Amino acid sequence: QVQLVESGGGLVQPGGSLRLSCAASGSIVSINAMGWYRQAPGKQRELVADITSGGSTNFADSVKGRFTISRDNAKNAVYLQMNSLKPEDTAVYYCNIRTVFRRYWGQGTQVTVSS
């Protein structure tokens, strides 16, 4: 049974930084990609960043140059380093792992950027 555990969310002032972590428990095989999505109030869930098993990365235009995604295959973990945070980054952030068979989701962690 696979469970994704997220941590690192919280309240930060504009211009600040946060680092989100996501670790998968249980057996997980055939991972194609790991990533982060977010959903702000009244908006659709959107892809923030992902990283493939080969190391290729993708970022939403709104976060390019500010966010960095990384992974640790040995720990089945994925991280999102968020710098120069803006109020519009406020959202619930969800960890996602895509395998050959299905997608797994974290419970979501709140990120609030406010002065």
Side-chain angles (χ1 to χ4, degrees):
Q1 184 174 354
V2 175
Q3 182 177 0
L4 306 186
V5 180
E6 302 178 16
S7 63
L11 175 65
V12 65
Q13 293 185 332
S17 298
L18 285 174
R19 181 177 175 84
L20 304 184
S21 299
C22 174
S25 64
S27 298
I28 184 166
V29 297
S30 301
I31 295 176
N32 291 329
M34 304 179 182
W36 294 89
Y37 291 71
R38 69 185 181 188
Q39 186 168 23
K43 296 185 178 180
Q44 300 285 82
R45 184 178 299 188
E46 65 173 350
L47 174 68
V48 178
D50 65 11
I51 182 168
T52 69
S53 60
S56 298
T57 59
N58 291 288
F59 297 92
D61 289 342
S62 60
V63 307
K64 287 181 179 178
R66 300 188 297 119
F67 290 10
T68 300
I69 189 169
S70 60
R71 60 180 169 85
D72 186 333
N73 290 338
K75 298 179 180 180
N76 289 327
V78 61
Y79 310 93
L80 185 68
Q81 179 66 45
M82 304 184 293
N83 299 322
S84 302
L85 283 162
K86 304 175 180 179
E88 49 264 45
D89 294 318
T90 296
V92 177
Y93 285 69
Y94 297 90
C95 175
N96 173 256
I97 296 180
R98 176 165 56 86
T99 73
V100 171
F101 306 104
R102 63 167 293 178
R103 303 176 74 95
Y104 299 92
W105 293 92
Q107 81 285 355
T109 184
Q110 177 70 48
V111 172
T112 302
V113 184
S114 176
S115 60

